[in-house]
């Protein structure tokens, strides 16, 4: 594994984009392939689907990724993070709960507000009140890949920056003991 945090994040983000785009696109196709058009609003509408998808995707992605990255941190496979790097993400992670599921739940709720709400608002603003299933499948495949890729760095770095997420966080490059 590369010692570069940038290379590690790039690999994780690309893999997360591809996996989640294909998986969510496939799930959407399986659920919608018999329909022709989808309305933006309504019980089975696009808006409801986007809210549920954003919440579950961000929650599950974060929970699984945090668990996988914790193993890398505890086994010493996680690349060092130079002091002063990724401070924006470090500050966000600082406010998340210490327990991985609590952090994942918060990321899921935030993802719903940050990704689903503006997307629904923009669709309404542009007058898109319905989409064909084929157009929606393309949109949802790319949208879920994008939000997974944007959420991934928080979950990857959580075990590194969250002091109570493990007995002791991995040291940062430049800190005493390195």
């Amino acid at each position: 594994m590369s010692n570069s945090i940038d290379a590690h994040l790039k690999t994780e983000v690309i893999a997360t984009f591809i996996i989640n785009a294909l998986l969510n696109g496939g799930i959407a196709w399986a659920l919608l392939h018999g329909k022709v058009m989808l309305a933006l609003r309504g019980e089975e509408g696009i808006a409801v689907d986007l809210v549920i998808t954003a919440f579950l995707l961000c929650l599950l992605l974060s929970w699984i990724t945090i668990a996988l990255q914790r193993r890398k941190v505890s086994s010493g496979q996680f690349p060092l993070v130079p002091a002063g790097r990724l401070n924006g993400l470090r500050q966000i992670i600082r406010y998340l709960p210490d327990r991985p599921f609590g952090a994942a739940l918060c990321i899921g709720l935030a993802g719903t507000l940050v990704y689903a709400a503006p997307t629904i608002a923009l669709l309404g603003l542009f007058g898109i009140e319905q989409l064909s299933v084929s157009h929606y499948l393309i949109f949802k495949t790319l949208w879920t890949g994008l939000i997974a890729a944007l959420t991934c760095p928080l979950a990857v770095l959580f075990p590194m920056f969250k002091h109570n997420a493990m007995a002791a966080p991995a040291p940062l490059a430049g800190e005493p003991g390195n």
Side-chain angles (χ1 to χ4, degrees):
M1 176 187 271
S2 170
N3 286 335
S4 166
I5 190 64
D6 295 328
H8 181 69
L9 284 173
K10 182 179 178 182
T11 301
E12 294 290 333
V13 167
I14 290 170
T16 298
F17 176 89
I18 293 168
I19 290 166
N20 282 283
L22 293 175
L23 182 64
N24 283 288
I27 291 169
W29 178 84
L31 294 173
L32 301 172
H33 75 277
K35 298 184 179 193
V36 177
M37 295 295 285
L38 297 172
L40 178 61
R41 295 167 192 13
E43 195 172 302
E44 295 182 13
I46 294 168
V48 171
D49 185 53
L50 293 179
V51 168
I52 293 168
T53 299
F55 175 72
L56 289 176
L57 175 63
C58 292
L59 171 80
L60 294 173
L61 168 79
S62 298
W63 197 23
I64 292 166
T65 302
I66 288 169
L68 294 172
Q69 298 303 316
R70 284 177 73 178
R71 288 188 196 121
K72 288 180 183 179
V73 169
S74 64
S75 68
Q77 296 176 353
F78 202 91
L80 294 175
V81 178
R85 288 274 292 127
L86 305 166
N87 282 335
L89 289 173
R90 191 182 310 231
Q91 291 305 314
I92 293 169
I93 290 168
R94 188 175 117 202
Y95 291 105
L96 291 173
D98 293 340
R99 297 202 179 266
F101 184 76
L105 185 60
C106 289
I107 292 170
L109 292 170
T112 303
L113 294 173
V114 171
Y115 304 127
T119 302
I120 294 163
L122 285 172
L123 288 171
L125 183 67
F126 289 117
I128 300 172
E129 291 298 320
Q130 62 180 0
L131 284 172
S132 70
V133 169
S134 58
H135 285 124
Y136 184 64
L137 290 174
I138 293 167
F139 168 78
K140 187 169 180 184
T141 298
L142 296 173
W143 185 76
T144 55
L146 178 63
I147 68 172
L150 292 171
T151 304
C152 179
L154 273 176
V156 168
L157 294 170
F158 180 86
M160 176 66 74
F161 294 151
K162 193 63 176 181
H163 294 284
N164 295 327
M166 298 182 356
L172 301 176
E175 286 185 348
N178 283 330

